[in-house]
Amino acid sequence: MQKWSWILKWVAPFRWRILLAIALGFFAFGANFGLLGISGLLISRTALHPSTILMVYVPLVAVRFFGLSRAAFRYTERLVSHDFALRSLVRIREWLFETLERRIPFQVSGRTFGDILSSALHDVDSVQFLYIRAIAPSLVAVFAAALTFTVLGTFGVSIAVTTMIGLLVAGLLVPITLIRYRQTLGRRAQADRAKVAEILTDSVRGWRDIKAFGQESAFFNRLVHLGHTLRETDIRSVGSQRIAQSAFLLVQGLTICAVLWELSVGSGHVQGVDVAMVALFVLAAFEAVAPSFSAFEQTGVSLAGVDRLRALESFPVTPFIPGEPEPQSGILTVRELSFRYADGVSPVLSNVSFEAHPGKKIAIVGQSGSGKTTLLNILTGLFPYTEGSIQLDGTELASLNTATLRSTFAVVSQQTHLFRGRIRDNIALGRPNAPLGIIIEAAKLARIHQRIENMPEGYDTVLGERGSQLSGGERQRLALARVLLLDAQFLLMDEPTGHLDLETEREFYSGLFESARGRTIILVTHRYAVMDQMDEIIVLKQGCVVERGVHADLVQQGGWYEKGYRQYARTSGNQRSN
Ligand SMILES: Nc1ncnc2c1ncn2[C@@H]1O[C@H](COP(=O)(O)OP(=O)(O)OP(=O)(O)O)[C@@H](O)[C@H]1O
């Protein structure tokens, strides 16, 4: 029931258009019904060679009226219903965008964001078709059945009842039986299609590794095998649709035969000249239930889609507090911070405390999965925290408005995304109206200015997909220019040099430290290249702070940090000597 109220929420503002579309659909059916029936009457009367034209004059006019109005009603009905469906589609898409935007980044049952997004877009489209293919035709069918019963009832109740039975069998029994069968096939096909999508995504993302390990034919064969299975399922599915159509025609034919038989045994009060008209009325009545098969099928697909869409609302929300940005330049105090992604799961952070003073450089290190990125995400307000406190100059972070948070904390993430477009627009992502002079200033600080100047069109050079013409180091320096442009007090860095060589990494950090004077840097990393320049290093293990201090002290302690550092020094020594 909640599902339907969710659907009604989107269609309610268009109720008058919906009523109009249903009325037009009903009139279109009525015109076809009248056209066929009255045509039968006209042919019969003409065959009897009427003595005067007046005998056929009224049916002639009626046929002309129904013939012309049928097309007009059908056209207008399609126009109104598609107009309404597209308007509601816009609203549902807006809702989808807001819902997802407020819930990034999330990770639910291993599903990735791309996976959720593509299935959600498909589901939104299927909700749109729910009205056009299911709700409207079903309502029109109900009114059409009432009209059929009333008209045929005037020729005899048994004729009307027989026709109703035929309509119920063709419009309910046949489609429900076949839908059940097709649902089983559909589930199988859906699972196979998901596997195909998985293999394709894997192949595109991992083509280098597939080639390097000589696995092309293995991937290809799996795809071919799934393709065969899918083809078989599709053939069965299409075959069952043909059976449904044949069954529909059979029921229609049998109903007409049954009505003709009733007329021949004298049931009802029909004159000989009206027999063709009654038979054609019965034939026309089936037009109302012809869409029932696709209506049932669409209802199943759309309701499953509605379930998935509504489930998006249960994902955790990134808080949004409205307001103007207020400049912050103070001390960040994290006290006893604990965090878990969902109730009942183990905490990712437990009792983490530290202080960050203006101009200080803090490194957060620890093994993979120890909660470093989570901590940065909490600081930027992406995940709401409930245990412990985070204060900026004594004000709780959770009570700062979102604009202040965004202007106070700037982030360089592990993998910066560069958008297709001009370099200057990519740098000015957080300040779209920034003048070119300021953009250049930020690029100089990030030591990427010269490289940009050397490009064919300088700052107007259009970057390809994900900045493909730039190296990893250049992309990260562009990302640095992006955050330096924001003038934020805190620079949060999540493994910004993950895939840079030692030399480029050092170059990146010297650019960063020089340009970020006076700002606070919180650096999450697995690498130890600039640890000796950090004011404090915090070591996390399974969400807990296990060691803290400066580099020189930590290497003396002989703990986790010291082990990691020795290992790093060995590897980087090897790299240098290579
Ligand atoms: N959005 C999420 N939803 C649920 N669990 C998550 C989410 N993000 C991370 N986790 C889990 O929280 C734990 C800490 O992850 P986090 O990314 O913070 O670790 P990390 O120390 O940054 O790891 P790495 O060094 O590998 O980047 C991991 O077990 C991870 O699986």
Side-chain angles (χ1 to χ4, degrees):
M1 214 48 224
Q2 279 179 340
K3 249 184 250 187
W4 286 103
S5 58
W6 190 87
I7 294 164
L8 283 179
K9 182 168 84 174
W10 303 112
V11 297
F14 307 108
R15 53 188 169 279
W16 295 116
R17 281 172 208 266
I18 300 171
L19 288 178
L20 180 61
I22 290 171
L24 287 165
F26 174 66
F27 292 149
F29 166 81
N32 192 51
F33 185 73
L35 178 68
L36 273 185
I38 304 298
S39 299
L41 179 69
L42 185 64
I43 293 166
S44 308
R45 284 205 183 161
T46 317
L48 293 178
H49 302 294
S51 49
T52 157
I53 187 75
L54 288 176
M55 293 288 288
V56 290
Y57 184 74
V58 174
L60 256 178
V61 173
V63 164
R64 197 155 48 168
F65 167 74
F66 286 134
L68 291 175
S69 63
R70 185 180 66 152
F73 284 136
R74 182 61 70 210
Y75 175 78
T76 330
E77 183 262 332
R78 289 282 142 91
L79 200 68
V80 174
S81 59
H82 280 82
D83 171 77
F84 141 74
L86 290 172
R87 280 171 198 263
S88 60
L89 181 67
V90 170
R91 287 182 170 230
I92 306 176
R93 283 197 175 148
E94 279 170 4
W95 166 86
L96 177 66
F97 180 81
E98 273 169 29
T99 308
L100 293 183
E101 196 256 349
R102 295 184 61 208
R103 288 166 171 82
I104 295 170
F106 55 65
Q107 185 190 326
V108 177
S109 322
R111 292 177 72 197
T112 63
F113 182 68
D115 169 24
I116 290 170
L117 182 65
S118 65
S119 112
L121 285 174
H122 179 263
D123 291 339
V124 164
D125 285 346
S126 84
V127 174
Q128 172 205 194
F129 291 125
L130 180 64
Y131 169 76
I132 296 183
R133 292 190 190 149
I135 299 177
S138 308
L139 289 173
V140 170
V142 171
F143 292 121
L147 175 73
T148 307
F149 192 82
T150 313
V151 172
L152 291 180
T154 60
F155 298 104
V157 175
S158 65
I159 293 168
V161 170
T162 306
T163 310
M164 284 302 120
I165 293 172
L167 289 179
L168 284 176
V169 174
L172 287 179
L173 198 65
V174 172
I176 288 175
T177 313
L178 276 136
I179 286 284
R180 290 235 164 107
Y181 174 64
R182 274 165 66 90
Q183 269 171 350
T184 321
L185 293 178
R187 272 194 288 275
R188 212 178 298 160
Q190 205 174 11
D192 286 342
R193 277 200 194 95
K195 275 189 213 150
V196 169
E198 257 170 42
I199 297 175
L200 281 177
T201 318
D202 267 355
S203 322
V204 172
R205 288 196 184 142
W207 68 269
R208 284 191 186 84
D209 293 324
I210 292 173
K211 268 188 167 310
F213 287 88
Q215 291 302 308
E216 297 97 318
S217 52
F219 269 75
F220 182 71
N221 290 341
R222 278 167 69 197
L223 275 178
V224 170
H225 174 70
L226 279 168
H228 282 307
T229 321
L230 267 173
R231 205 183 108 238
E232 270 168 34
T233 317
D234 281 348
I235 289 174
R236 278 197 211 170
S237 173
V238 172
S240 68
Q241 207 169 351
R242 297 284 167 266
I243 293 173
Q245 284 163 352
S246 311
F248 181 89
L249 290 175
L250 184 69
V251 175
Q252 189 181 32
L254 286 176
T255 311
I256 295 173
C257 290
V259 167
L260 288 175
W261 178 78
E262 282 183 47
L263 292 177
S264 70
V265 296
S267 170
H269 29 84
V270 178
Q271 297 170 2
V273 71
D274 292 338
V275 169
M277 177 174 65
V278 174
L280 286 172
F281 271 143
V282 177
L283 180 77
F286 278 78
E287 190 209 0
V289 291
S292 60
F293 185 78
S294 62
F296 277 112
E297 196 164 44
Q298 188 62 50
T299 307
V301 171
S302 301
L303 291 185
V306 168
D307 278 341
R308 282 189 293 267
L309 288 173
R310 290 180 58 225
L312 294 178
E313 289 179 318
S314 62
F315 295 176
V317 177
T318 301
F320 179 85
I321 304 175
E324 290 298 309
E326 296 151 23
Q328 303 284 329
S329 60
I331 302 168
L332 178 75
T333 316
V334 178
R335 286 270 166 271
E336 306 284 313
L337 177 70
S338 298
F339 179 80
R340 57 188 86 222
Y341 276 100
D343 294 338
V345 300
S346 10
V348 174
L349 294 172
S350 306
N351 300 321
V352 173
S353 302
F354 66 93
E355 253 181 32
H357 289 260
K360 295 289 176 203
K361 299 191 276 294
I362 295 180
I364 298 178
V365 297
Q367 57 193 186
S368 191
S370 54
K372 305 181 292 294
T373 304
T374 303
L375 178 60
L376 286 197
N377 283 337
I378 294 174
L379 290 180
T380 49
L382 288 177
F383 295 131
Y385 60 95
T386 47
E387 289 175 58
S389 100
I390 304 176
Q391 292 187 344
L392 199 56
D393 285 336
T395 308
E396 201 60 37
L397 202 75
S399 62
L400 288 179
N401 67 49
T402 306
T404 304
L405 267 181
R406 299 276 176 273
S407 64
T408 308
F409 295 96
V411 186
V412 176
S413 57
Q414 291 182 10
Q415 293 210 328
T416 299
H417 186 88
L418 296 179
F419 294 90
R420 199 186 281 271
R422 294 183 308 174
I423 288 196
R424 57 189 289 182
D425 299 327
N426 264 290
I427 297 180
L429 183 68
R431 271 174 73 181
N433 300 323
L436 183 60
I438 295 186
I439 295 176
I440 293 176
E441 224 25 69
K444 278 184 181 165
L445 286 174
R447 302 195 175 176
I448 186 72
H449 171 69
Q450 210 47 55
R451 171 73 179 96
I452 298 173
E453 284 288 71
N454 290 340
M455 293 178 109
E457 289 171 73
Y459 282 82
D460 287 324
T461 306
V462 173
L463 290 179
E465 195 180 348
R466 296 176 175 204
S468 49
Q469 65 264 58
L470 296 176
S471 73
E474 287 162 353
R475 278 202 287 272
Q476 285 308 73
R477 270 181 278 171
L478 210 79
L480 181 59
R482 204 185 250 178
V483 299
L484 292 177
L485 188 78
L486 290 182
D487 231 7
Q489 173 57 29
F490 291 84
L491 297 184
L492 310 182
M493 308 267 155
D494 191 356
E495 201 69 85
T497 56
H499 45 274
L500 303 190
D501 61 63
L502 282 173
E503 211 161 303
T504 323
E505 182 178 30
R506 285 190 182 278
E507 215 175 279
F508 173 87
Y509 280 122
S510 63
L512 166 68
F513 295 156
E514 202 180 297
S515 54
R517 282 212 180 104
R519 307 190 206 197
T520 314
I521 294 176
I522 300 181
L523 169 69
V524 159
T525 186
H526 283 286
R527 297 159 64 111
Y528 296 71
V530 285
M531 285 299 143
D532 49 349
Q533 295 178 53
M534 290 289 150
D535 297 301
E536 185 178 18
I537 298 165
I538 295 171
V539 183
L540 285 183
K541 190 174 177 190
Q542 292 173 347
C544 303
V545 177
V546 287
E547 291 167 48
R548 67 195 318 155
V550 291
H551 173 73
D553 292 344
L554 287 174
V555 284
Q556 296 297 321
Q557 281 178 17
W560 188 93
Y561 183 86
E562 191 262 349
K563 252 190 244 154
Y565 174 67
R566 298 274 170 239
Q567 207 170 358
Y568 172 81
R570 263 200 307 278
T571 333
S572 53
N574 287 345
Q575 268 184 33
R576 263 196 215 106
S577 55
N578 283 342

